[in-house]
């Protein structure tokens, strides 16, 4: 018997919800109770009266798993809308990272050179370290971190993915 294993895909989900206590825990619980992983999670209120929030979730799974996650999220009471941005529409994703790099001499010069190439801003500097702010897609940030490991990466703080559909209509 030969079992065909489906490839997993990375999907970005946009979930609009009532901004109420406990909703984030319920959504995270839905993922953990089924053994699904959340790769990135961001939350922010999106209306002037702060009654509605958008939760952006990046997860991986087979197409069937993603479809099941979307359906289960959509059935939750405080959820208004679930949009699989990866499957339904062209969209823009960005992430922000603060990256602390230590080094002196040539390592310091190389860190500044790489930061310039990746359009990272210096937001703090001492005699022996920098903190860079870098924004962009996840792949760009991952590559920047990989290069900084070679010149003295000390610490990283990442925001997670923020995403929105392209075009004039709301998704």
């Amino acid at each position: 018997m030969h079992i065909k294993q489906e490839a997993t895909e990375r999907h970005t989900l946009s979930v609009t919800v009532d901004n109420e206590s406990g909703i984030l825990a319920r959504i995270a619980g839905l993922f953990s109770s089924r053994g699904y992983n959340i790769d990135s999670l961001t939350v922010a209120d999106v209306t002037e009266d702060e009654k509605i929030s958008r939760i952006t979730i990046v997860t991986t799974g087979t197409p069937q798993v993603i479809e099941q996650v979307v359906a289960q999220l959509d059935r939750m009471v405080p959820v208004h809308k679930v949009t699989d941005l990866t499957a339904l529409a062209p969209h823009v994703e960005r992430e922000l990272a603060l990256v602390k790099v230590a080094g002196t001499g040539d390592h310091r010069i190389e860190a500044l050179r790489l930061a310039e190439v990746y359009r990272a801003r210096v937001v703090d500097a001492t005699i022996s370290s920098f903190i860079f702010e870098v924004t962009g897609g996840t792949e760009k940030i991952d590559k920047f971190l990989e290069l900084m490991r070679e010149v003295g990466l000390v610490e990283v703080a990442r925001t997670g993915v923020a995403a929105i559909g392209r075009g004039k209509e709301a998704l």
Side-chain angles (χ1 to χ4, degrees):
M1 176 181 235
H2 192 260
I3 299 174
K4 183 181 175 189
Q5 196 165 3
E6 287 191 70
T8 59
E9 302 171 345
R10 177 185 179 275
H11 282 255
T12 303
L13 308 177
S14 175
V15 185
T16 53
V17 298
D18 288 335
N19 190 4
E20 62 183 42
S21 178
I23 183 60
L24 185 58
R26 289 180 55 205
I27 288 175
L30 182 145
F31 278 79
S32 67
S33 69
R34 288 158 181 80
Y36 305 146
N37 191 39
I38 295 174
D39 298 328
S40 172
L41 180 88
T42 57
V43 184
D45 55 30
V46 293
T47 56
E48 207 170 302
D49 60 5
E50 299 179 359
K51 291 185 178 181
I52 304 292
S53 290
R54 177 192 312 254
I55 301 173
T56 305
I57 301 169
V58 177
T59 189
T60 54
T62 64
Q64 290 79 17
V65 166
I66 299 299
E67 191 176 308
Q68 183 180 22
V69 166
V70 169
Q72 290 169 345
L73 285 169
D74 213 19
R75 282 195 292 270
M76 294 179 81
V77 172
V79 171
H80 294 273
K81 186 176 185 181
V82 180
T83 305
D84 182 350
L85 293 171
T86 304
L88 295 180
H91 64 284
V92 175
E93 289 186 13
R94 288 293 179 266
E95 187 175 357
L96 176 133
L98 295 175
V99 181
K100 186 185 294 183
V101 178
T104 57
D106 289 343
H107 286 282
R108 187 173 179 84
I109 293 166
E110 185 64 11
L112 285 169
R113 188 187 69 73
L114 289 168
E116 185 177 337
V117 169
Y118 280 82
R119 294 189 179 126
R121 284 186 337 119
V122 175
V123 293
D124 185 63
T126 68
I127 298 299
S128 60
S129 70
F130 291 106
I131 297 176
F132 297 106
E133 172 187 270
V134 60
T135 60
T138 300
E139 297 80 20
K140 174 186 174 182
I141 292 173
D142 289 343
K143 186 64 179 171
F144 182 72
L145 294 175
E146 180 183 320
L147 293 169
M148 286 299 169
R149 278 186 187 89
E150 296 181 28
V151 294
L153 180 69
V154 174
E155 188 176 3
V156 177
R158 293 176 83 155
T159 60
V161 173
I164 195 164
R166 295 185 69 168
K168 62 182 181 178
E169 282 87 35
L171 292 180

